[in-house]
Amino acid sequence: MVGLTPSVLKWARECLNMELGDVARRLKKSPDEIEAWEAGVGAPTYAQLEKLAYEIYKRPLALFFLPVPPDEPKPRAEFRSLPQVELGRLSRDTTLLIRKGRAFQAALVELYGDRSPVAKPIWREIRVSHSHDVVSQAAKLRNLLGVDIESVRQLPDADAGLKLWRRAIEKVGIHVFKESFEQKEYSGFCLWHPEFP
């Protein structure tokens, strides 16, 4: 394909922590052929590129014709609290969920500009400390969220509890999205932002 950038093909694969063999299996090609495309030797057909873009890498097709890979934060850089070994184990699906969370943050910035619409974001109201009593800090946090323990205990099921906590957390400026994780080692993540965490 004329104009296709091999380094962008490689970048898109590596962003998702995918091995050559992973991509090859999905395309029913050999890993050597995928590696050759990434080196600029040969190229996928248009149909194969569409599958790479839309189904495997979840990227716009036009991206693969950029002269260089775009500058995009990598999950490895954002989760510095995880050991390097764990960062290397983030699956394609987990990485796609992180990218989706970042897209939601970008949409919030577009929608609200550079300031949270919440009058008193919770991260400006409370500081958690390892040196203070956990029970009293949790009580203070529940108070700021407007959630009392007895109300939670009276809920009919876990789903109702999740909805109650989500509404309370979003009222104080922290945005939540819910997805299922295929990578069972993880059940959630937090993405910091000075105005839209």
Side-chain angles (χ1 to χ4, degrees):
M1 292 195 92
V2 177
L4 181 67
T5 309
S7 63
V8 176
L9 278 174
K10 185 175 183 177
W11 169 85
R13 176 180 59 79
E14 289 177 344
C15 282
L16 294 176
N17 280 346
M18 294 182 76
E19 299 293 329
L20 289 165
D22 297 333
V23 177
R25 273 189 298 284
R26 289 171 180 261
L27 283 178
K28 297 182 174 61
K29 294 288 178 187
S30 74
D32 291 341
E33 190 166 0
I34 307 301
E35 188 173 33
W37 295 346
E38 290 179 359
V41 179
T45 64
Y46 187 79
Q48 290 166 334
L49 183 60
E50 279 189 318
K51 186 167 184 173
L52 281 169
Y54 301 135
E55 294 177 32
I56 299 173
Y57 300 144
K58 305 288 185 184
R59 300 279 188 177
L61 191 71
L63 178 104
F64 296 93
F65 296 93
L66 292 174
V68 294
D71 186 21
E72 177 182 86
K74 294 180 181 171
R76 288 176 186 241
E78 299 194 11
F79 290 90
R80 290 181 293 273
S81 60
L82 286 175
Q84 193 62 32
V85 172
E86 287 299 316
L87 291 171
R89 292 184 186 148
L90 289 177
S91 74
R92 169 187 175 271
D93 297 305
T94 301
T95 305
L96 287 171
L97 288 176
I98 294 167
R99 191 192 302 163
K100 186 175 186 177
R102 278 288 176 224
F104 286 153
Q105 280 181 320
L108 289 165
V109 170
E110 287 278 324
L111 186 62
Y112 294 110
D114 62 352
R115 197 80 173 143
S116 173
V118 175
K120 291 185 172 183
I122 195 165
W123 60 91
R124 293 193 185 114
E125 301 293 315
I126 192 168
R127 294 285 178 255
V128 179
S129 170
H130 293 293
S131 61
H132 291 92
D133 175 48
V134 172
V135 174
S136 62
Q137 289 185 91
K140 184 177 179 184
L141 184 57
R142 280 193 306 274
N143 186 46
L144 280 170
L145 291 172
V147 175
D148 72 86
I149 271 304
E150 286 310 311
S151 298
V152 173
R153 287 186 177 131
Q154 293 174 15
L155 294 171
D157 55 34
D159 191 50
L162 178 63
K163 287 176 183 170
L164 178 139
W165 284 108
R166 181 178 178 169
R167 280 191 304 272
I169 288 168
E170 288 183 334
K171 279 183 187 174
V172 295
I174 298 173
H175 303 271
V176 180
F177 79 99
K178 180 182 167 190
E179 288 281 347
S180 60
F181 279 74
E182 288 186 26
Q183 188 172 1
K184 297 305 176 196
E185 298 90 350
Y186 300 100
S187 58
F189 56 84
C190 300
L191 297 174
W192 173 248
H193 187 281
E195 294 295 325
F196 306 103

